[in-house]
């Protein structure tokens, strides 16, 4: 029965599925309301009607991270899982409506007074204890309270912390989605910039082939560096999310503990783990524009003119045409012809002007802890 109930728990609200239940393409189930909530959190800028997104979009399954693409009907276009809904109805009729038998768990006994049950909570030492310890034992000078009142207080606190972790999980999942989108932008921008570099070098292959290869290597190096950094950051967020999921699962199991003393024995270290896991200040953030690769834009107008002149001077046919043009220029204006001849000689003797160096590699990486 417990295993069946676990199969009927929604991974979003952590409650039994509320009809209507929708089935995703990955075969996982969600309450339609929960599916709509997670879809709106993943697509905050899509138009809504009555609190429900009506246009198409996409979100990721919270169980397996499979991307779910919706049509124009939004979450209402997802197929209902009538089988699960029928199972829920049968489960409620068979088990929930029937009075459950009393479950008497063995109450833990005091380690000091072995015949005494643990029935009070020491507020000074933050541990459950027995009445004898309060009267004669180590807690006689401590402040105590009834076990059930502390049980309700810490159970409420644990429930609130788990709810906070669910919200943090959604926020971190949004960050991971943004990081994945950043990876795609870096790849696209890298391809676009390499294409521009190749276009600039199409007319200069004979002389600039080596230079083109060096620039592409630099673009590739920065692209790989940025991608490796984003992927490494994505893995960090994923690992953090996985650790929080394990702690949350432990917390849910602790909430199901029927015995108050056992619950209180496990609550304090669990709350400390939750507080530590909820702190994401140690995780790095990517600055705006980190995916930009526009600093690799190139322009070879000046170098192209110089290279065209050099090629023209080295070509035999072009040399003859240039000599004819110089003779005509001398007949028309001897002084202008001498000047033009001097410029040609200067071009022949002048070396190819150096290319403008590429922009220095800048990762735009946020400050990382050393």
């Amino acid at each position: 029965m417990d295993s069946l109930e676990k199969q009927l728990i929604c991974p979003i609200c952590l409650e039994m599925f509320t009809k209507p239940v929708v089935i995703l393409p990955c075969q996982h189930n969600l309450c339609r309301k929960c599916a709509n909530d997670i879809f709106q959190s993943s697509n905050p800028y899509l138009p809504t009607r009555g609190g429900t997104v009506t246009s198409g979009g996409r979100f990721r399954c919270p169980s397996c991270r499979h991307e779910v693409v919706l049509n124009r009907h939004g979450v209402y276009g997802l197929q209902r899982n009538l089988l699960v809904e029928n199972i829920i109805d049968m489960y409620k009729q068979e088990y929930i409506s029937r009075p459950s038998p009393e479950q008497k768990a063995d109450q833990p006994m005091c380690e000091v007074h072995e015949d005494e049950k643990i029935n009070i909570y020491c507020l000074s030492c933050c541990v459950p204890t027995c009445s004898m310890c309060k009267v004669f034992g180590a807690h006689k000078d401590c402040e105590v309270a009834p076990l059930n009142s502390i049980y309700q207080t810490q159970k409420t606190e644990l429930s609130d912390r788990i709810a906070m972790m669910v919200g943090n999980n959604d926020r971190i999942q949004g960050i991971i989605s943004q990081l994945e989108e950043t990876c795609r932008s870096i790849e696209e921008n890298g391809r676009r910039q390499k294409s521009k570099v190749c276009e600039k070098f199409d007319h200069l292959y004979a002389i600039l082939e080596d230079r083109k290869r060096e620039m592409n290597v630099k673009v590739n190096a920065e692209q790989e560096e940025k991608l490796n950094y984003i992927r490494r950051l994505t893995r960090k967020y994923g690992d953090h999310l996985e650790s929080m999921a394990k702690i949350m699962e432990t917390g849910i199991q602790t909430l199901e503990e029927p015995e108050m003393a056992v619950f209180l024995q496990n609550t304090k270290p669990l709350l400390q783990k939750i507080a530590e896991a909820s702190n994401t200040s140690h995780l790095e953030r990517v600055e705006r524009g980190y995916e930009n690769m526009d600093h690799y834009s190139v322009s070879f107008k000046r170098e192209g003119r110089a290279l065209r002149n050099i090629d023209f001077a080295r070509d035999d046919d072009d040399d003859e045409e240039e000599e004819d043009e110089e003779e005509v220029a001398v007949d028309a204006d001897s002084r202008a012809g001498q000047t033009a001849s001097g410029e040609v000689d200067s071009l022949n003797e002048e070396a190819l002007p150096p290319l403008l160096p590429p922009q220095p590699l800048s990762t735009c990486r946020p400050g990382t802890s050393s």
Side-chain angles (χ1 to χ4, degrees), residues 90-123:
M90 294 173 60
Y91 175 85
K92 291 181 177 180
Q93 293 176 2
E94 287 293 326
Y95 298 102
I96 298 181
S97 60
R98 182 185 303 175
S100 59
E102 295 183 1
Q103 298 181 353
K104 295 184 178 179
D106 294 335
Q107 185 173 357
M109 309 298 289
C110 178
E111 295 180 356
V112 179
H113 308 92
E114 299 180 354
D115 296 333
E116 293 292 330
K117 296 181 179 180
I118 294 178
N119 54 6
I120 59 175
Y121 187 84
C122 178
L123 298 176

Side-chain angles (χ1 to χ4, degrees), residues 160-356:
D160 294 340
R161 294 292 182 88
I162 292 176
M164 181 180 64
M165 288 191 67
V166 171
N168 289 340
N169 288 352
D170 293 339
R171 181 174 59 84
I172 292 179
Q173 186 55 54
I175 295 176
I176 292 177
S177 298
Q178 293 177 359
L179 292 174
E180 293 172 348
E181 182 64 29
T182 301
C183 283
R184 290 191 291 268
S185 297
I186 291 175
E187 292 173 344
E188 177 62 27
N189 290 339
R191 286 192 295 267
R192 183 170 60 251
Q193 292 307 119
K194 286 187 291 184
S195 176
K196 290 181 179 180
V197 169
C198 291
E199 288 177 4
K200 297 296 182 180
F201 278 95
D202 283 342
H203 302 291
L204 307 173
Y205 274 138
I207 300 174
L208 301 178
E209 185 63 30
D210 292 339
R211 187 59 174 163
K212 180 192 70 174
R213 185 163 50 250
E214 292 174 2
M215 293 184 69
N216 275 333
V217 166
K218 291 184 178 181
V219 175
N220 285 331
E222 179 166 343
Q223 177 183 336
E224 288 303 319
E225 181 178 353
K226 287 186 176 181
L227 288 175
N228 290 336
Y229 173 71
I230 294 299
R231 288 166 181 161
R232 183 168 63 254
L233 195 57
T234 302
R235 286 194 298 269
K236 288 183 180 179
Y237 276 98
D239 294 341
H240 187 76
L241 183 64
E242 182 179 356
S243 64
M244 289 204 305
K246 291 180 180 178
I247 296 176
M248 186 172 61
E249 182 179 357
T250 303
I252 294 173
Q253 294 175 356
T254 304
L255 286 176
E256 297 175 354
E257 173 60 49
E259 178 51 49
M260 292 184 291
V262 175
F263 174 86
L264 293 174
Q265 287 176 337
N266 300 330
T267 299
K268 184 177 180 180
L270 183 57
L271 290 174
Q272 183 177 0
K273 290 181 179 179
I274 291 177
E276 293 174 354
S278 300
N279 183 14
T280 60
S281 61
H282 65 284
L283 297 176
E284 302 171 13
R285 302 292 191 273
V286 177
E287 293 182 354
R288 183 184 300 274
Y290 178 71
E291 70 278 6
N292 199 326
M293 302 280 285
D294 292 341
H295 52 280
Y296 280 104
S297 298
V298 294
S299 176
F300 294 124
K301 292 181 179 180
R302 181 168 61 87
E303 291 79 1
R305 287 194 297 268
L307 290 175
R308 280 193 296 271
N309 290 334
I310 293 174
D311 289 342
F312 181 81
R314 292 178 180 178
D315 186 84
D316 295 337
D317 295 336
D318 292 340
D319 285 343
E320 294 178 359
E321 293 180 2
E322 185 176 354
E323 291 174 359
D324 294 339
E325 291 176 357
E326 289 178 356
E327 291 177 357
V328 173
V330 169
D331 293 340
D333 188 354
S334 59
R335 185 175 180 180
Q338 292 174 355
T339 303
S341 178
E343 291 177 354
V344 170
D345 294 337
S346 175
L347 285 173
N348 290 334
E349 296 175 356
E350 183 180 359
L352 176 65
L355 298 178
L356 293 177

Side-chain angles (χ1 to χ4, degrees), residues 36-60:
N36 185 59
D37 292 340
I38 192 173
F39 174 59
Q40 290 189 33
S41 65
S42 301
N43 303 269
Y45 300 108
L46 289 180
T48 59
R49 183 179 63 190
T52 302
V53 178
T54 57
S55 60
R58 61 186 64 198
F59 67 97
R60 292 188 180 276

